[in-house]
Amino acid sequence: MSMSAGALQVQSLTKVFRDRGGVAVRAVDDVCFEVKRGEVLGLLGPNGAGKTTSIKCILGLMRPDSGRITLFGQDIQAAYPRILGKMSAVLEGSRNLYWRMSVWENVAFFSALHGVGSREDREYFGYLLKLFSLDEKRHTEVRKLSQGMKQKASVVCALARRTPLVFLDEPTLGLDVETSLELRSVLKRLAREEERTFVVSSHDMDVIQDVCTRVVIMSSGRIVVDDQVSHLMSLFRTRAYRIRLRGPAPQALEERLTQEFASVRVTDAETDAEIRVALSEDGDIYRLMDALRGEDAVIDEISHEEVDLEKVYLEIVRGERMRS
Amino acid sequence: MKLVSVLGAVFRRDWTMMKRYIVNSVSTLVSIYMIFILIFAGLQSMSGYVKTGALEGSLEGTIIGFFVWTFTIYAFSNLAWNLTNEAQTGTLEQLYLAPCGFKWVAASTLISDFVFSFVPIMLLLAAMMATTGKWLRVDLASLVPLLLITLLGAYGVGFALGGLALVFKRIQALFQIMQFVFVGLLVIPMRVPAAKYMPLVLGNDLIRRAMVDGVRMWRLPPGDILTAVAVGAAYLAVGVAVFSWCERVAKNRGLLGHY
Ligand SMILES: Nc1ncnc2c1ncn2[C@@H]1O[C@H](COP(=O)(O)OP(=O)(O)OP(=O)(O)O)[C@@H](O)[C@H]1O
Ligand SMILES: [Mg+2]
């Protein structure tokens, strides 16, 4: 029976683009994932991984070749377009707003399409504008706003529709550091206070690490990782080592290491070489030690490498690329 | 009711846009008026030359032709250009996220476009009548329904071409040419065989009868009115069907937003 805890369920979603020459691109290939109510899910992957395509298929802006999508227990296809009342989106690369209308006019218009516009709703619009420090600009035409303000205005416009699920495709593009921080704190706050569900796609790992509890990493149309951020980090924390040698690394050592460990990076920090490596199996540490001893390297210090989501992500994506 | 609130929102959006683009709207009307003045001057010098008054009737015809043509152009281009522009900028995808369905958003846009173009075009009509001294019968109760019947065909063409332009971008080149096609349709005489089955033609003729001869709508031959409605509805239905097909293709190929 329908899962009451789930906000979104995507089952075997596939989207193939065929160009005129008949060449087919499997932009989304048998993708399955779930988002729980109140969860902030990060959707990651290199350019062309299929993130935007997945989002647009869920929203019904693209027709998938196959797959079943369930939103709050309802089959999307069966309940379309009424079901759109439950989701909204900021789409990547698009304007999302009328540039010749003011921020407020846009917010009021797009919310009204979702049947949102009561007095209480309007108070909420004001609250959002304040949260995003756009209050002073509410009567400014969007075209006169800076890039970052435009982006924030699009986000406000999506949030103002008060839908339980919100898609944000590259929401921090063009935002300065401070504004990006502001957006993050607002998202966390809304997820917590209003129990809204977010699917955020971004190339900015700081943003994802900060706001998302779980990530789905896509590569070439497929999901390669679907895990809690904290679990993913601890997984990598125990495996990532940094070894400092006394003196430079001999050429032979570097060659041997790159042969044996895919993820190794050797940097010659002027005098003392540094080796960074992620080990995937328990026995790897002994092989590493053997290699070091065999090449007469003097170990000065061994430590766990500081991991952040960016490193984890790069590692996964690189590994994925090697495999294919 | 949600549908009504969507209609209201679309009205507010278009009213705002109209205010923002007031200079454009006024200059479009002024240039149409200028063209009319040129033609009027031409007609006058010709009738001065012929002297027989054989061109008498054609002045009224010209005024009404311009009047209906302006409505047609507005109806068609608002629909087709807006679809294309909104697809390019990305707002079209946002409209497609409306829970009432895009079709109702589009229908609301048509209604609001008609309402907002009504006053300026009536002003244009008044200016044309004042310039020529030919005062035509303007009986809104007859005129508005007849205009709507006539415009059905223009909406049909607008949907079809707007939809096709989503899929085949080159189609946009046809938008300009359509203005001339509409001129052609509005000057076709009724005696041309099958003329009444073409878009706009019969409706335009009925408007002429109402405005020149002062025939009230309910005094017009019901057969003609029914035919005009049926023909207009048929073109609209075909236009909407073409649009729906294009929408399907656009969703398959991911073309709703091609920014
Ligand atoms: N409308 C389209 N027509 C044809 N191919 C498309 C279309 N949209 C996307 N693709 C292809 O589908 C694949 C996935 O694209 P998508 O935009 O979903 O990637 P993404 O993960 O969002 O990438 P990015 O990080 O660059 O935004 C790419 O190979 C892309 O070329
Ligand atoms: Mg993308």
Side-chain angles (χ1 to χ4, degrees), chain A residues 51-53 92 169-170 201:
Chain A
K51 305 178 296 286
T52 301
T53 306
E92 153 201 53
D169 199 353
E170 296 275 0
S201 128

Side-chain angles (χ1 to χ4, degrees), chain A residues 17-18 25-28 45-54 62 92 169-170 201 203, chain B residues 253-255:
Chain A
F17 290 111
R18 288 174 189 82
V25 177
R26 298 186 82 81
V28 178
N47 295 132
K51 305 178 296 286
T52 301
T53 306
S54 305
M62 284 184 190
E92 153 201 53
D169 199 353
E170 296 275 0
S201 128
H203 292 292
Chain B
R253 300 197 201 150
L255 297 174

Side-chain angles (χ1 to χ4, degrees), chain A residues 15 56 60 62-63 81 84-85 89 91-98 100-101 105 109 112-114 141 161, chain B residues 2 9 13 16-17 20-21 86 89-91 93-99 101 248 251-253 256 259:
Chain A
K15 174 72 192 168
K56 288 196 177 179
M62 284 184 190
R63 192 183 307 277
L84 287 169
L91 297 168
E92 153 201 53
S94 124
R95 284 196 184 171
N96 293 295
L97 304 172
Y98 290 106
R100 288 304 289 264
M101 300 207 301
E105 286 158 352
F109 173 72
L113 292 188
H114 267 66
E141 275 180 51
R161 279 169 249 192
Chain B
K2 246 204 190 137
R13 176 196 66 184
T16 315
M17 289 290 201
R20 301 279 146 79
Y21 283 104
E86 298 213 21
T89 54
T91 41
E93 283 180 319
Q94 290 293 340
L95 298 182
Y96 263 94
L97 294 183
R248 243 188 114 79
K251 282 190 174 188
N252 273 328
R253 300 197 201 150
L256 280 188
Y259 23 85

Side-chain angles (χ1 to χ4, degrees), chain A residues 284-308:
Chain A
D284 280 356
I285 186 85
Y286 300 110
R287 285 204 296 131
L288 179 66
M289 290 304 137
D290 287 346
L292 290 172
R293 188 169 16 194
E295 301 298 333
D296 289 329
V298 184
I299 299 172
D300 192 33
E301 188 188 326
I302 299 183
S303 53
H304 270 307
E305 168 116 84
E306 280 300 306
V307 289
D308 57 18

